[in-house]
Amino acid sequence: MKNKRNSERDDYRLLKNKLLIRTFGMLFFAFALLAALYSLFLKGHIADTFVGFLDNFVYHDYDRAYNVYSIYIRDYMSLFFVVLSLLLFAIILRFYLNEFSKYFKEINRSIDALIEENSGDIVLPSELTAIEKKINHIKHTLEQRKLAAELSEQRKNDLVVYLAHDLKTPLTSVIGYLTLLRDENKISEELREKYLSISLEKAEHLEDLINEFFEITRFNLSNITLEYSRVNLTRMLEQLIYEFKPMLLEKNLKCELEIAPDTMIKCDVNKMQRVFDNLLRNAVNYSFDDSTIHIAVKQNGENLCIQFTNCGNTIPKEKLVRIFEQFYRLDVARSSRSGGAGLGLAVAKEIVELHNGTITAKSENEQIEFTVTLPLL
């Protein structure tokens, strides 16, 4: 804090020095003029000139000219001196303020450039370097925020287009198979069961996509609040793996859990379960068939580390750094079965950070690893 104050003091030193020099210059000039006026008025130089003018060009009589000067000028000499002094001081002050107001005009110009979003940095006089730095910092910050907002808006627009397409695909299938069931009177029981099974599967997928739309609304319109309680993490993860058995069987996956019995943790149970659900779902979606998903829980000092590891295509580094962004998806082509709206990992990151924890991703040699680190409260 002290260094910051010293830096600001140094930034404004040039401006203060310039204003100080101008102020002393103005005062010196003002006193010099006042001294000249004092010499002219009170020591008789103007009186002699004025009387000589009246004598030579008006009255041609020195005594009469002197009497006119005495009546109309000499008796009011002090008043004339004060008025003239104030007038000269006002003129000098006007010039001084004109010089001073140039700084405000420059700052106003820079603010206009900021509002108009002109390209390039704003340049101010050298004595306004400190203000120039701050305005350019604001300019760059606003540009970054605008770019981030545009990217976010573009991702949302793309998401709506993609989800609209994904909604239409299963809906078309459901309508098609139900139409077949209605129109085909002599359909075999085996085929009927197959069509119903496909229709149910597509309808369930359609429900998942609709839920994603609600997820987007909840994510943007509400703040996540935590309700802490102590929970048996071992049982929570065992229950989660059990619920995922149908999904694991579809790809012939195994899920191994490495955790000490009755490991306890204090957290918001529903929110943290949502984090683990998202991580395991991602592991299933992006795992090679006939491979193993490994979940390991280890204590590291005052923290608990939960690792989800699966075998899958290596995620490129440029995608890995964006994996926790809202609406970001690894599968740009958006296959109909893998991946969702791109909110799962973004929500998981927010929940973990609200628990004062961290979540990281690593991928190399066809292995993907997510690590959640939570404090042991």
Side-chain angles (χ1 to χ4, degrees):
M1 192 70 177
K2 188 176 180 181
N3 292 335
K4 186 178 180 181
R5 286 200 204 99
N6 291 335
S7 176
E8 288 180 351
R9 214 176 285 126
D10 292 339
D11 287 340
Y12 288 106
R13 182 174 295 168
L14 184 60
L15 178 61
K16 288 188 288 186
N17 290 341
K18 197 160 187 177
L19 290 176
L20 189 63
I21 292 170
R22 286 185 177 177
T23 302
F24 277 121
M26 182 199 73
L27 291 175
F28 177 79
F29 186 62
F31 282 120
L33 280 178
L34 287 175
L37 288 173
Y38 177 83
S39 176
L40 289 172
F41 272 92
L42 299 183
K43 290 191 176 180
H45 299 295
I46 289 183
D48 293 341
T49 303
F50 188 74
V51 171
F53 174 80
L54 292 177
D55 179 31
N56 296 325
F57 299 99
V58 180
Y59 300 111
H60 302 289
D61 183 343
Y62 180 83
D63 291 334
R64 188 177 179 186
Y66 183 79
N67 288 333
V68 170
Y69 163 76
S70 298
I71 295 170
Y72 296 103
I73 303 296
R74 187 181 65 184
D75 294 343
Y76 300 99
M77 184 69 73
S78 298
L79 179 62
F80 285 143
F81 176 74
V82 171
V83 171
L84 190 56
S85 298
L86 291 175
L87 182 62
L88 287 174
F89 184 77
I91 294 171
I92 295 170
L93 184 62
R94 174 70 178 178
F95 280 110
Y96 175 78
L97 292 177
N98 281 342
E99 288 295 317
F100 189 73
S101 65
K102 287 181 182 178
Y103 294 129
F104 294 100
K105 291 178 181 177
E106 288 292 327
I107 294 172
N108 189 60
R109 179 186 60 79
S110 65
I111 293 173
D112 288 339
L114 194 64
I115 295 172
E116 294 168 4
E117 300 179 351
N118 293 342
S119 59
D121 286 349
I122 293 166
V123 179
L124 293 175
S126 57
E127 54 268 31
L128 297 178
T129 301
I131 298 175
E132 177 187 299
K133 289 179 182 176
K134 290 187 177 181
I135 291 178
N136 280 319
H137 177 70
I138 294 171
K139 185 175 186 293
H140 296 154
T141 302
L142 291 175
E143 287 173 351
Q144 291 172 1
R145 288 180 180 176
K146 181 183 177 183
L147 180 60
E150 288 175 351
L151 290 174
S152 178
E153 188 65 25
Q154 184 60 45
R155 285 198 297 269
K156 283 186 182 181
N157 292 338
D158 292 343
L159 173 70
V160 171
V161 173
Y162 292 145
L163 281 179
H165 177 267
D166 285 351
L167 286 172
K168 185 178 179 181
T169 302
L171 184 60
T172 302
S173 297
V174 170
I175 293 173
Y177 283 111
L178 290 179
T179 302
L180 284 173
L181 288 171
R182 184 195 64 184
D183 296 342
E184 291 288 341
N185 295 324
K186 297 180 180 181
I187 191 170
S188 66
E189 191 62 31
E190 181 181 353
L191 201 56
R192 181 185 298 275
E193 186 177 343
K194 180 181 178 182
Y195 287 171
L196 285 173
S197 177
I198 295 174
S199 297
L200 179 60
E201 180 185 350
K202 297 295 182 182
E204 288 173 346
H205 181 53
L206 185 61
E207 182 185 31
D208 291 339
L209 292 171
I210 292 172
N211 286 336
E212 288 185 354
F213 277 115
F214 288 111
E215 185 72 18
I216 295 166
T217 304
R218 287 197 297 270
F219 187 85
N220 288 314
L221 298 182
S222 64
N223 294 320
I224 299 175
T225 55
L226 302 180
E227 297 178 3
Y228 281 94
S229 62
R230 289 189 64 79
V231 62
N232 190 317
L233 182 61
T234 305
R235 293 181 183 175
M236 180 194 289
L237 292 175
E238 287 174 347
Q239 178 67 26
L240 181 67
I241 294 170
Y242 178 80
E243 292 173 358
F244 268 78
K245 273 189 175 180
M247 288 184 65
L248 294 167
L249 289 173
E250 285 182 12
K251 300 179 72 173
N252 196 25
L253 298 172
K254 293 180 181 179
C255 188
E256 298 176 348
L257 177 61
E258 179 186 346
I259 187 173
D262 297 323
T263 299
M264 303 299 294
I265 188 172
K266 190 175 181 180
C267 64
D268 185 313
V269 179
N270 292 329
K271 302 293 190 304
M272 196 53 62
Q273 190 168 4
R274 182 176 177 183
V275 172
F276 299 145
D277 183 282
N278 282 330
L279 293 176
L280 186 53
R281 190 177 301 275
N282 273 354
V284 172
N285 286 335
Y286 295 102
S287 285
F288 294 140
D289 291 354
D290 307 311
S291 62
T292 300
I293 298 171
H294 189 74
I295 303 174
V297 180
K298 299 176 183 178
Q299 186 172 341
N300 182 13
E302 297 182 353
N303 296 319
L304 201 64
C305 296
I306 305 100
Q307 291 181 337
F308 288 74
T309 307
N310 67 284
C311 297
N313 292 321
T314 302
I315 303 172
K317 289 183 179 180
E318 63 271 13
K319 291 187 176 182
L320 200 62
V321 296
R322 298 185 58 197
I323 203 167
F324 294 107
E325 290 182 11
Q326 298 177 34
F327 312 119
Y328 183 75
R329 286 190 41 153
L330 290 174
D331 54 330
V332 181
R334 294 191 61 89
S335 62
S336 60
R337 293 303 300 168
S338 66
L343 279 172
L345 291 177
V347 174
K349 183 175 186 289
E350 183 166 345
I351 291 172
V352 171
E353 289 180 347
L354 283 172
H355 282 83
N356 298 316
T358 60
I359 181 170
T360 57
K362 185 172 69 174
S363 180
E364 55 186 17
N365 301 323
E366 294 190 334
Q367 195 172 63
I368 304 169
E369 181 182 289
F370 284 88
T371 302
V372 175
T373 304
L374 295 170
L376 288 169
L377 300 177

